[in-house]
């Protein structure tokens, strides 16, 4: 179960009873999420799908994923924003760092399904011609399946990538149409028209689920399942969090949202999500979109930034320690991270590290976290830590829902609609004007 240690951050509140006085507003925002009475209440499908799990859909996704694992060397996922960040975050967290020369001789720590999984690659999340050219060259000679993910089918980046990839696939595979899966709107959009012509396998994006909340729909679940990850455990981990976080008492998501809001009101402008385990860095990317698009409106909201320690302590550690005191820091940690290698002793001890001999790298990392958190708090940074039991599908599902619930409450505290993103359209209009779009 997730555990939030917020005591070091609470010490930075201007008034000791600030959270107590804020509690009625926090509980009102919480009720608005539960009953759909707040702004954007029609976009709470990410909660409704957990209230009534669709086991038949999960089974269908597992069946399609098993076929892809059997036939494919590579699954190429085409999408941008919420259409890929959630899947990539979970896949990065729950699959091996390095692929074995033969995918059937992988790491036993991740199970048979992961060992037999295809490589999961992504496209359509930017417009680099060099990337796309090299990607298609890399795919040549491999068995490739494609999952294109877009509600409208006309979002520029994935639509462009799919044009190139579809032509490439059709030139190389007689069964190209069987190798393409579309995840799109139930009825509308360009991909539905193309699917009617080509007969692609289709999964629906629920109309009441926005992109950044869609990781537990087919948007995220199909690529995650194709990677050999247990999507039922992931999904039902989120269900457990959904049920546990319904009550306002002892609710870590509400405490997190309240503390962020109180510090925001005191003038803090940035929240750093810091991880010590590199496989959790992708969660930071997903979290950035979730909080950036949900809160960054009307000149409000904390700017979400993510750092991977101890790597970034050697580049931004100086700023965290002594830069402008306008940021807060949330550590995302796992009690058990699999880092059980022990430091060997050497006879000469030239590097001076024999004092660590026999210690696990997990222990070393834990001390690095404790020292960093202490030093940053002493340096004037409000620090809190969100603890997971372990990095596994169930706890990851809990974590995803925790952040989704917290950001909805947090945005309501700011007086914002958590589920729209009107500013995104501004750059699109300017871009399309320059491109000469009719």
């Amino acid at each position: 179960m997730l555990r939030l240690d917020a005591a070091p951050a609470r010490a930075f509140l201007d008034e000791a009873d600030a959270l107590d006085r804020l509690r009625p507003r926090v509980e009102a925002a919480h009720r608005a999420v539960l009953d759909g009475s707040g702004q954007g209440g029609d976009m709470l499908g990410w909660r409704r799908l957990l209230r009534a799990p669709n086991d038949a859909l999960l089974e269908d996704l597992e069946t399609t994923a098993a076929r892809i694992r059997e036939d494919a060397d590579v699954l190429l996922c085409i999408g941008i924003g919420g259409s890929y960040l959630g899947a990539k975050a979970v896949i990065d967290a729950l699959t091996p760092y390095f692929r074995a020369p033969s995918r059937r001789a992988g790491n036993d720590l991740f199970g048979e399904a992961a060992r037999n999984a295809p490589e999961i690659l992504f496209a359509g999340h930017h417009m680099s011609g060099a990337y796309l050219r090299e990607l298609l060259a890399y795919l040549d000679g491999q068995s490739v399946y494609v999952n294109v993910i877009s509600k409208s089918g006309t979002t520029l980046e994935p639509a462009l990538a799919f044009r190139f990839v579809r032509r490439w696939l059709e030139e190389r595979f007689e069964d190209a149409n069987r190798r393409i899966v579309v995840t799109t709107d139930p009825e509308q959009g360009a991909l539905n028209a193309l699917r009617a012509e080509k007969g692609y396998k289709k999964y629906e994006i629920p109309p009441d689920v926005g992109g950044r909340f869609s990781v537990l729909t087919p948007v995220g679940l199909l690529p995650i399942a194709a990677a050999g990850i247990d999507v039922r455990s992931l999904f039902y981990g989120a269900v457990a969090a959904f049920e546990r976080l319904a009550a306002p008492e002892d609710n870590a998501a509400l405490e997190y949202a309240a503390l962020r809001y109180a510090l925001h009101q005191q003038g803090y402008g940035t929240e750093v999500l810091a991880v010590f385990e590199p496989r959790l860095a992708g969660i930071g990317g997903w979290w950035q979109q979730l909080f950036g698009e949900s809160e960054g409106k009307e000149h409000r909201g904390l700017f979400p930034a993510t750092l991977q320690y101890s790597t970034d302590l050697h580049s931004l550690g100086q700023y965290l320690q002594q830069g402008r005191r306008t940021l807060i820091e949330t550590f995302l940690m796992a009690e058990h991270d699999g880092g059980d290698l022990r430091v060997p002793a050497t006879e000469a001890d030239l590097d001076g590290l024999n004092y660590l001999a026999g210690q696990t790298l997990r222990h070393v990392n834990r001390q690095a976290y404790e020292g960093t958190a202490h030093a940053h708090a002493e340096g004037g940074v409000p620090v809190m830590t969100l603890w997971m039991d372990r990095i596994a599908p169930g706890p990851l599902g809990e974590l995803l829902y925790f952040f989704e619930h917290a950001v909805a409450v947090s945005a309501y505290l700011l007086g914002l609609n958590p589920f729209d993103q009107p500013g995104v359209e501004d750059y699109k209009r300017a871009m399309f004007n320059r491109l000469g779009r009719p």
Side-chain angles (χ1 to χ4, degrees):
M1 189 171 75
L2 290 172
R3 174 171 62 85
L4 180 68
D5 175 11
R10 286 197 295 268
F12 284 83
L13 294 175
D14 288 342
E15 300 175 2
D17 65 344
L19 294 185
D20 289 334
R21 289 189 291 103
L22 189 59
R23 186 168 184 82
R25 288 188 57 200
V26 172
E27 292 191 359
H30 174 63
R31 286 194 300 273
V33 175
L34 298 187
D35 62 24
S37 61
Q39 296 182 69
D42 58 332
M43 293 300 291
L44 286 163
W46 51 278
R47 297 193 73 252
R48 287 185 275 270
L49 61 86
L50 299 174
R51 183 183 299 121
N54 187 341
D55 288 312
L57 175 60
L58 291 175
E59 183 177 356
D60 186 83
L61 288 162
E62 289 171 331
T63 299
T64 300
R67 176 169 63 87
I68 293 171
R69 287 199 304 274
E70 181 66 27
D71 293 349
D73 298 314
V74 175
L75 172 64
L76 180 61
C77 298
I78 299 176
I80 195 168
S83 294
Y84 93 101
L85 282 169
K88 187 177 187 303
V90 175
I91 291 168
D92 286 352
L94 297 176
T95 56
Y97 280 118
F98 307 104
R99 289 177 59 82
S102 167
R103 65 185 175 98
R104 298 184 183 276
N107 191 327
D108 285 340
L109 292 174
F110 293 89
E112 183 180 355
R115 290 199 304 274
N116 293 342
E119 185 175 11
I120 311 296
L121 297 178
F122 297 88
H125 53 297
H126 52 61
M127 292 179 285
S128 168
Y131 177 92
L132 195 56
R133 182 177 62 250
E134 292 182 28
L135 171 64
L136 295 177
Y138 174 76
L139 294 178
D140 223 6
Q142 301 194 72
S143 176
V144 178
Y145 276 62
V146 173
N147 180 204
V148 56
I149 306 159
S150 174
K151 264 190 177 181
S152 67
T154 59
T155 303
L156 182 61
E157 294 90 341
L160 272 175
F162 188 46
R163 272 203 177 199
F164 285 97
V165 171
R166 182 163 65 92
R167 183 177 65 179
W168 181 92
L169 207 66
E170 289 173 347
E171 288 173 350
R172 284 161 177 78
F173 298 98
E174 292 183 358
D175 63 344
N177 293 346
R178 191 179 71 90
R179 292 170 175 267
I180 295 173
V181 180
V182 299
T183 307
T184 190
D185 184 87
E187 298 178 0
Q188 305 299 316
L191 290 176
N192 274 306
L194 192 59
R195 182 232 178 198
E197 175 189 345
K198 301 287 188 177
Y200 301 148
K201 172 75 174 176
K202 173 188 169 181
Y203 288 102
E204 295 182 356
I205 304 174
D208 56 358
V209 179
R212 59 188 177 275
F213 290 87
S214 67
V215 61
L216 294 171
T217 73
V219 169
L221 293 178
L222 178 59
I224 291 168
I229 295 165
D230 181 355
V231 290
R232 286 181 185 268
S233 292
L234 179 78
F235 190 90
Y236 277 94
V239 170
F242 166 83
E243 294 171 349
R244 186 166 51 251
L245 296 176
E249 297 80 21
D250 298 320
N251 190 314
L254 299 190
E255 183 181 7
Y256 176 63
L259 192 47
R260 295 176 76 257
Y261 174 78
L263 291 167
H264 174 279
Q265 296 305 99
Q266 287 182 201
Y268 289 89
T270 298
E271 179 181 10
V272 171
L273 184 73
V275 302
F276 269 85
E277 178 54 50
R279 69 174 69 257
L280 292 176
I283 296 293
W286 170 81
W287 170 88
Q288 275 187 308
Q289 186 203 10
L290 182 70
F291 279 79
E293 284 194 347
S294 299
E295 289 188 328
K297 301 159 196 173
E298 300 179 22
H299 307 288
R300 302 176 209 172
L302 292 163
F303 180 82
T306 183
L307 296 176
Q308 194 259 295
Y309 293 159
S310 63
T311 304
D312 289 332
L313 290 174
H314 293 262
S315 59
L316 289 170
Q318 172 63 39
Y319 191 96
L320 267 290
Q321 192 67 45
Q322 295 182 332
R324 296 184 65 193
R325 303 295 78 182
T326 58
L327 56 87
I328 68 176
E329 187 172 30
T330 301
F331 290 91
L332 176 59
M333 299 291 294
E335 294 281 6
H336 304 286
D337 58 12
D340 55 355
L341 285 176
R342 292 189 179 274
V343 179
T346 63
E347 185 174 344
D349 193 25
L350 295 177
D351 54 14
L353 295 180
N354 270 359
Y355 73 97
L356 293 175
Q359 299 287 353
T360 65
L361 288 183
R362 176 178 174 271
H363 170 78
V364 175
N365 236 355
R366 179 67 173 261
Q367 303 315 303
Y369 148 71
E370 291 182 1
T372 301
H374 174 78
H376 288 179
E378 289 289 305
V381 177
V383 166
M384 51 186 152
T385 304
L386 187 60
W387 287 96
M388 305 167 60
D389 293 335
R390 64 194 189 284
I391 303 173
L396 255 293
E398 290 185 60
L399 181 70
L400 296 173
Y401 182 79
F402 172 91
F403 280 134
E404 289 176 341
H405 192 96
V407 78
V409 171
S410 187
Y412 283 150
L413 288 172
L414 290 166
L416 301 170
N417 181 347
F419 309 116
D420 66 358
Q421 51 280 337
V424 172
E425 301 306 316
D426 295 339
Y427 93 84
K428 289 182 179 179
R429 280 191 292 271
M431 175 178 67
F432 286 130
N433 284 341
R434 284 161 174 75
L435 289 171
R437 178 179 179 176

